[in-house]
Every structure is written in C-alpha cells, then in structure tokens.
C-alpha cells in the first residue's frame, strides 16, 4: 500500500509538472502569435509606404530615397492610453524607415519615451537636448542637433509633435515638396491642419485615414527646407508650452514660403484624457520675440 501511494504521488507530481509545461507553452504561443501579428502589420505598413513611393517615382525602385529627416519627442505616459499613443507614433516612424530618417530627442523628462521609441525598432536618438529650468525641451536645441545628424544630401527636415500620426500620404507630400524646392530654390516651411481622434487602442498606417474627423486648425508639424532659418538666431521657444507653434510659423513666414499641405497630408492627432493641453510653465513662450497672445 505504501509503495502504491508513493507511485501515485509521483504520477500526480509529474502530471502537475506536465500541466504547467503545457500551460506555459500555450501562453508563450499566444504571446508569440501576438508579436507575429504585430510584425506582420508593421511589414504591411512598410509595404504601403513603398507602394506610395513607387506611385510617385515609378516602379522598380532599387532602393528607397531618404526624403527627409524627422524629429519628435514625448515624455512619460500619464495614463495607459497615452502610452498606446506613444507606441503608435514610434511604430509609425519605424514603418517609414528608408524614406524618412527619424530621430527621438532625449531629455531628462523623455527617458521613458526613448524606451518606447527603441522598442518599436527605431535607432536614432539625439542626446544633447537643452531644456529650460522647468525641464522642458528647447526647440532650437532639437533642430540644431537634427541638422548635424541628418545626412547632408537630405534636403528636408521636420519637427512633429509626439502625438501626431501620418499615413502613407506623407511620402507623396515629401516627394512633392522636394521637387518643388529643387525647381523653385525657395526656402520654405510646410504646415497643415489635423484631425482629432479620441484614442481607444492601437492604430496602424492603414487605419489613419479612416479615423479622420473634421479638420482642426493647429500647427503640429513643421516640414522645412534646411536653408530656411539660421536656427541659432531662433528665440528659445519651449516645446509643449503655449504659443510656440504659431510663433514658429510666423518666424518662417518672414524668411521663406509658408505652404499649407492640409489637402495632401493626412495628420491624425491622438487625443487622450491627459493629452491635448499645453503645459503650464511660468517661463512660457509668450514672453519671447515673435509671440503674440490674444487677450
């Protein structure tokens, strides 16, 4: 009897171990499938970008041409949806690799954002972003770093708010801006309206157009020729604080052509409970040159 109970106990122990192994294998398979689905969607997004490029330049393109260098930044997510917004943004830029060289501007407040950026497969970081005494990044510091890091043969640069998504129309727009710039030789800045979308989950390039709502007048992206501005002369506008967007567009208007690309470029703003409001800062942009605040 004792020997029989010992054998029975051993069988039960092995059964429990087998069950645990099977359960662990099942969970690992589910996670792997989720990762594979995510990778497949990202590959499909990249294929869509390539097809848009081929529509403009013709099929049989042997290698993509880098049309522009973009920079963005975002800090620690304040709620789960804002984290998803950051993940959406990082994945979008990864899909544009080869056509857009994308950089993330590092600062003490954006370390968590950099983790999201790298987890999506992106590689390029700008490490020496200056901030004001409240820790907010200065635009001039970000753009001067971008100018240095961007390959000299790339004609266009851009700063984009971290909660903006584009679809493959970005490729058409950048190609058209590059062609116009080469023909006209005019320095320029391109801005445009956006659509607002109440975020509820992941969004991929193929879904951006379907999420559009009425266009909203707000400058959330700035695509520029590299010859537009002496960035060292730019006032120390702070990102994420009232009034810098309009001030920058006005600054560019007096130094080159100011273009509206709202009709060609789909830009989607991901709204969350903690996003969408300019940060309050005692040292705000309203005190800087070129800023006019309506009373």
């Amino acid at each position: 009897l004792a020997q029989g109970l010992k054998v029975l106990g051993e069988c039960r122990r092995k059964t429990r171990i087998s069950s645990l192994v099977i359960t662990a294998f099942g969970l690992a398979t589910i996670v792997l499938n989720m990762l594979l689905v995510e990778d497949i969607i990202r590959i499909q997004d990249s294929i869509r970008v390539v097809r848009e490029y081929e529509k403009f330049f013709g099929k049989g393109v042997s290698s993509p041409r880098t049309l522009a260098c973009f920079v963005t930044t975002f800090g620690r997510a304040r709620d789960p949806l804002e984290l998803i917004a950051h993940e959406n943004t990082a994945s979008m830029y990864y899909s544009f690799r080869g056509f857009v060289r994308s950089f993330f501007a590092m600062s003490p407040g954006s370390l968590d954002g950099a983790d999201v950026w790298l987890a999506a497969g992106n590689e390029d970081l700008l490490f020496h972003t200056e901030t004001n005494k409240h820790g907010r990044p200065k635009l001039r510091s970000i753009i001067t770093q971008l100018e240095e890091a961007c390959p000299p043969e790339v004609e266009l640069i851009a700063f984009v708010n971290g909660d903006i998504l584009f679809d493959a129309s970005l490729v058409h727009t950048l190609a058209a801006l590059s062609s116009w710039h080469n023909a006209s030789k005019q320095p320029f800045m391109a801005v445009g309206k956006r659509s607002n979308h109440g975020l509820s989950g992941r969004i991929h390039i193929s879904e951006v157009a379907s999420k559009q709502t009425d266009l909203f007048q707000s400058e959330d992206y700035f695509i520029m020729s590299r010859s537009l501005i002496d960035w060292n002369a730019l006032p120390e506008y702070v990102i994420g604080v009232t009034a810098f967007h309009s001030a920058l567009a006005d600054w560019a208007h007096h130094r080159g052509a100011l273009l509206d690309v709202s009709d060609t470029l789909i830009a989607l703003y991901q709204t969350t409970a903690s996003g969408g409001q300019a940060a309050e800062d005692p040292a705000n942009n309203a005190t800087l040159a070129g800023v006019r605040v309506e009373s």
Side-chain angles (χ1 to χ4, degrees), residues 207-280:
E207 302 171 307
V208 169
S210 67
K211 306 292 185 183
Q212 287 187 99
T213 57
D214 293 337
L215 290 179
F216 181 78
Q217 182 64 55
S218 179
E219 296 92 358
D220 291 288
Y221 58 87
F222 306 89
I223 305 170
M224 304 160 277
S225 60
R226 296 178 79 156
S227 57
L228 176 64
I229 291 176
D230 175 8
W231 293 104
N232 290 316
L234 188 75
E236 292 189 334
Y237 298 133
V238 178
I239 292 172
V241 180
T242 301
F244 101 85
H245 304 84
S246 298
L248 182 59
D250 184 67
W251 186 269
H253 171 65
H254 295 289
R255 289 158 179 82
L258 188 62
L259 309 178
D260 184 353
V261 293
S262 302
D263 291 338
T264 64
L265 181 56
I266 295 175
L268 191 71
Y269 176 73
Q270 306 170 87
T271 63
T272 64
S274 58
Q277 297 183 0
E280 294 299 325

Side-chain angles (χ1 to χ4, degrees), residues 50-72:
V50 171
R51 285 176 178 166
E52 290 300 313
Y53 184 84
E54 289 180 341
K55 285 179 185 177
F56 196 90
F57 290 102
K59 292 186 177 180
V61 179
S62 58
S63 60
R65 168 190 165 199
T66 302
L67 298 168
C69 290
F70 275 48
V71 63
T72 190

Side-chain angles (χ1 to χ4, degrees), residues 80-210:
L81 276 181
E82 191 171 36
L83 176 59
I84 291 175
H86 295 168
E87 292 171 344
N88 289 340
T89 299
S91 294
M92 173 200 69
Y93 281 110
Y94 180 78
S95 296
F96 283 118
R97 67 194 185 283
F99 302 97
V100 174
R101 185 165 176 187
S102 305
F103 295 83
F104 185 88
M106 295 280 291
S107 66
S110 68
L111 298 181
D112 290 340
D115 288 341
V116 174
W117 182 258
L118 296 173
N122 302 297
E123 298 178 350
D124 288 320
L125 301 171
L126 303 178
F127 290 98
H128 305 293
T129 303
E130 296 178 5
T131 62
N132 69 358
K133 63 182 180 180
H134 303 282
R136 306 203 186 281
K138 296 180 180 179
L139 180 65
R140 184 172 71 186
S141 171
I142 290 176
I143 297 295
T144 52
Q145 287 185 88
L146 181 65
E147 285 269 26
E148 293 176 3
C150 185
E153 67 274 11
V154 179
E155 303 166 349
L156 308 182
I157 59 173
F159 170 79
V160 184
N161 283 350
D163 39 26
I164 293 293
L165 294 179
F166 301 114
D167 72 350
S169 63
L170 178 64
V171 175
H172 273 177
T173 302
L174 292 176
L177 289 172
S178 179
S179 297
W180 179 84
H181 177 59
N182 286 331
S184 68
K185 306 302 180 186
Q186 288 191 59
F188 75 90
M189 173 180 284
V191 296
K193 298 177 182 178
R194 75 182 194 214
S195 290
N196 292 338
H197 172 70
L199 190 65
S200 59
R202 291 302 301 269
I203 301 176
H204 298 278
I205 284 179
S206 59
E207 302 171 307
V208 169
S210 67

Side-chain angles (χ1 to χ4, degrees), residues 11-25:
C11 288
R12 286 177 174 171
R13 187 182 71 83
K14 289 181 177 178
T15 301
R16 284 197 298 271
I17 292 172
S18 298
S19 297
L20 287 172
V21 170
I22 291 170
T23 302
F25 178 77

